[in-house]
Amino acid sequence: MNQPNDGAPAPVIVARADHPLSRSMISTSALKVLYQLKDAGYQAFLVGGCVRDIVIGMEPKDFDVATNASPEEVRRLFRSCRLIGRRFRLAHVRFGHQIVEVATFRAAGDPIEPDADDTDDEPAEEPPSDDRVHDDDTGRLLRDNRYGTVDQDVWRRDFTCNALYYNIEDFSIWDYVGGVADVKSRTLRLIGDPETRYREDPVRMLRAIRFQAKLGFSIHEGTREPIARLASLLEQIPPARLLDEFQKLFLAGFGQRSFELLMEHGLLEQLFPATAAWLAEEPDGMAARLIRAGLANTDRRVLEDRPVTPMFLFAVLLFGPISAAAQKRFETGSQAGQAIAEAADQVVAEQNRRIGIPKRFSIPMREMLALQPRFHRREGRRALAFISHPRFRAAYDFLVLRAESGSEDPAVARWWTEIQELPQEEQQKRVGADDGPSGQPAGAGRRRRRRGGRRRSAPTPES
Ligand code: ATP
Ligand code: MG
């Protein structure tokens, strides 16, 4: 870091009377952790997003504590505490469902989040002796294992707004990096030399976008400028860590904004190369409209506290490339649903090199997409049976999106909306499945004819 650790600069200390953070805004669990550390003679600060969010009047998502107690010392202090992380150990203190993350101050340098593959279940190893390892070629920080003091810890943080320390000792805020002023002017600014910080951890580029989208801050020129230039550094990041970041960008209620900003900064092609290529050719086509409608829809659900799933989002984001690949297979004779399923596999396999899509998302996504042609069958018992298919709901929601964005006839979506609201008898009449005298469903004959017409039923992108 470009900041010396000896002769470290003193923080500006903002007294309790001069900032808006009051204890009533801090979760009781986090307060317990802070007080218990303090009572045991340690320093204890709230730090990171929670301080920032409270200062700007948002409700924090979680509370992070920083302390000079070592992970072992933290573990001994709390009954329900486990150590996680391989590269760097963190303590998770549990109170019922709530977890307070407690990190020991780190010496000079950089942080990096726990490895994406760290889990709660993994016992932490003893840290190797003090060391920090950079990759010689890329400058990326590979290992950082030193504990330090608060005035060393601050320099490893990413943005100035994330480096405010709330001291439980006297309720003051310690600001080493001008974070208070940046929060006031709603500016996102990397601590230190931006290019060096992005090279150390390219995920910081995605974090910049995320905070811009979430907080409505603007990115300071020096912090913004290198992003487009360094975007390809994200190729070094493991797909599992990118999946984490993807979820934070797209499943927290500001996905549409995140998407626009990723495009603007040239980062979408790092996360979704096939989608970005598709959008470059047809910036206002069906796929673009579907993405925008799908993200808006997801954001709305998040704000209404309704469940959202990454599988639906992956379908929305990959629909352009998948339907193009499906169309090719369809034209060479595959049945529509089969063509889509195979196309989904092909596109997901490519996509997995960037963001790893777990099978628990990719399998239902493929199924939901492959069901789309079935909406064209609106006669006979099988049409009705579709409504009780376990994946019907998701497939129907996707159909509605497609209709909204021009990849499906709105009359088809309307028909399925209406039929779900009818009493059972009416439903049967509607599909012609009220039994005739022979017991033969009235729709049977017509169903046969539709097969010849299935060419129309492949969901194809508008060209
Ligand atoms: P939110 O919780 O709203 O997503 P946050 O700022 O708390 O935002 P976290 O990912 O929870 O973000 O990280 C907590 C803190 O750890 C950050 O505020 C920052 O100080 C530090 N941090 C996290 N990731 C990095 C990183 N990649 N590089 C440097 N510092 C980081
Ligand atoms: Mg946080």
Side-chain angles (χ1 to χ4, degrees):
M1 202 56 247
N2 51 0
Q3 201 62 43
N5 292 313
D6 9 86
V12 171
I13 296 182
V14 186
R16 171 64 194 94
D18 301 323
H19 69 72
L21 201 162
S22 91
R23 271 162 292 163
S24 65
M25 299 158 171
I26 303 171
S27 79
T28 40
S29 316
L31 277 176
K32 274 188 213 158
V33 171
L34 290 166
Y35 278 121
Q36 209 160 325
L37 284 164
K38 169 175 121 68
D39 293 344
Y42 298 106
Q43 285 183 308
F45 296 84
L46 272 188
V47 65
C50 53
V51 179
R52 173 201 71 211
D53 287 353
I54 292 176
V55 171
I56 63 176
M58 285 175 85
E59 197 183 324
K61 195 166 57 83
D62 45 37
F63 291 86
D64 297 321
V65 171
T67 180
N68 60 350
S70 74
E72 284 303 332
E73 289 168 329
V74 175
R75 171 149 73 186
R76 268 178 254 131
L77 267 183
F78 297 96
R79 196 172 314 167
S80 176
C81 175
R82 65 204 313 183
L83 302 187
I84 63 148
R86 254 186 260 156
R87 191 186 274 138
F88 212 95
R89 292 192 302 170
L90 294 171
H92 275 180
V93 183
R94 187 183 294 272
F95 297 90
H97 291 300
Q98 275 215 41
I99 288 178
V100 180
E101 193 170 288
V102 183
T104 302
F105 299 138
R106 293 179 208 175
D110 229 344
I112 310 216
E113 288 289 82
D115 307 71
D117 57 353
D118 279 341
T119 68
D120 274 356
D121 311 321
E122 212 162 1
E125 300 157 11
E126 278 305 307
S129 57
D130 159 307
D131 52 8
R132 274 184 94 209
V133 181
H134 278 92
D135 182 294
D136 287 341
D137 293 334
T138 63
R140 194 172 155 218
L141 193 74
L142 299 177
R143 196 164 70 216
D144 175 5
N145 270 314
R146 294 186 286 183
Y147 298 121
T149 60
V150 57
D151 51 45
Q152 294 171 323
D153 189 80
V154 62
W155 307 106
R156 73 174 181 91
R157 309 245 160 218
D158 48 6
F159 301 96
T160 58
C161 63
N162 288 345
L164 296 176
Y165 292 74
Y166 170 83
N167 186 3
I168 197 62
E169 186 75 45
D170 61 0
F171 318 123
S172 61
I173 289 179
W174 291 17
D175 178 10
Y176 291 82
V177 292
V180 169
D182 282 343
V183 168
K184 275 201 187 120
S185 66
R186 308 181 86 82
T187 304
L188 214 52
R189 186 197 313 258
L190 272 172
I191 299 169
D193 171 57
E195 179 156 345
T196 308
R197 303 308 309 281
Y198 288 137
R199 287 189 184 279
E200 283 177 344
D201 182 9
V203 168
R204 288 172 188 149
M205 294 186 270
L206 296 175
R207 290 174 60 84
I209 303 310
R210 171 152 69 91
F211 295 128
Q212 190 184 2
K214 167 179 166 162
L215 308 169
F217 282 24
S218 48
I219 307 186
H220 185 260
E221 174 56 21
T223 296
R224 185 196 58 74
E225 179 277 323
I227 294 181
R229 203 155 41 79
L230 301 179
S232 64
L233 294 176
L234 283 165
E235 285 164 18
Q236 310 161 10
I237 304 301
R241 188 164 175 218
L242 290 185
L243 175 69
D244 273 0
E245 287 303 319
F246 164 78
Q247 306 209 39
K248 290 181 191 169
L249 281 160
F250 285 95
L251 288 169
F254 47 86
Q256 201 182 357
R257 184 101 189 97
S258 294
F259 175 78
E260 305 297 348
L261 290 171
L262 287 171
M263 294 248 283
E264 193 181 310
H265 292 272
L267 292 175
L268 188 70
E269 60 197 81
Q270 291 300 320
L271 297 183
F272 290 94
T275 308
W278 182 268
L279 292 175
E281 289 201 359
E282 284 191 52
D284 302 307
M286 172 279 294
R289 288 199 299 274
L290 185 108
I291 289 173
R292 295 204 165 89
L295 293 176
N297 188 306
T298 300
D299 287 347
R300 210 158 42 236
R301 291 181 69 104
V302 172
L303 298 183
E304 291 165 359
D305 261 328
R306 287 154 68 204
V308 288
T309 154
M311 88 87 172
F312 197 83
L313 273 184
F314 283 124
V316 163
L317 286 160
L318 297 174
F319 186 65
I322 291 177
S323 50
Q327 183 63 30
K328 280 207 192 105
R329 291 183 145 77
F330 186 66
E331 280 161 7
T332 55
S334 294
Q335 182 265 337
Q338 184 62 25
I340 296 171
E342 289 168 8
D345 289 343
Q346 175 198 330
V347 171
V348 165
E350 279 290 309
Q351 176 61 40
N352 275 340
R353 298 202 214 151
R354 289 311 172 85
I355 296 180
I357 307 181
K359 287 221 159 53
R360 68 177 185 283
F361 301 141
S362 61
I363 290 173
M365 178 192 85
R366 173 180 54 181
E367 192 181 0
M368 177 184 85
L369 292 175
L371 285 171
Q372 295 301 307
R374 252 183 96 169
F375 287 112
H376 284 229
R377 183 190 298 248
R378 284 178 280 167
E379 286 143 357
R381 289 181 189 290
R382 276 202 72 198
L384 273 195
F386 188 21
I387 297 178
S388 29
H389 189 289
R391 203 68 70 197
F392 175 82
R393 190 69 224 177
Y396 165 76
D397 287 344
F398 200 77
L399 170 78
V400 171
L401 265 190
R402 288 177 51 231
E404 273 176 30
S405 52
S407 99
E408 181 56 272
D409 178 359
V412 174
R414 243 182 346 260
W415 191 91
W416 285 97
T417 305
E418 279 166 20
I419 195 160
Q420 292 175 72
E421 287 155 7
L422 295 176
Q424 208 176 2
E425 237 169 70
E426 293 297 316
Q427 288 183 334
Q428 289 184 344
K429 274 194 201 141
R430 183 83 49 120
V431 297
D434 41 345
D435 288 353
S438 65
Q440 170 88 322
R446 257 172 292 161
R447 200 166 61 204
R448 199 167 273 285
R449 251 179 285 128
R450 275 214 70 90
R451 269 196 201 133
R454 86 181 173 220
R455 191 155 281 274
R456 267 171 287 137
S457 66
T460 56
E462 147 206 278
S463 38

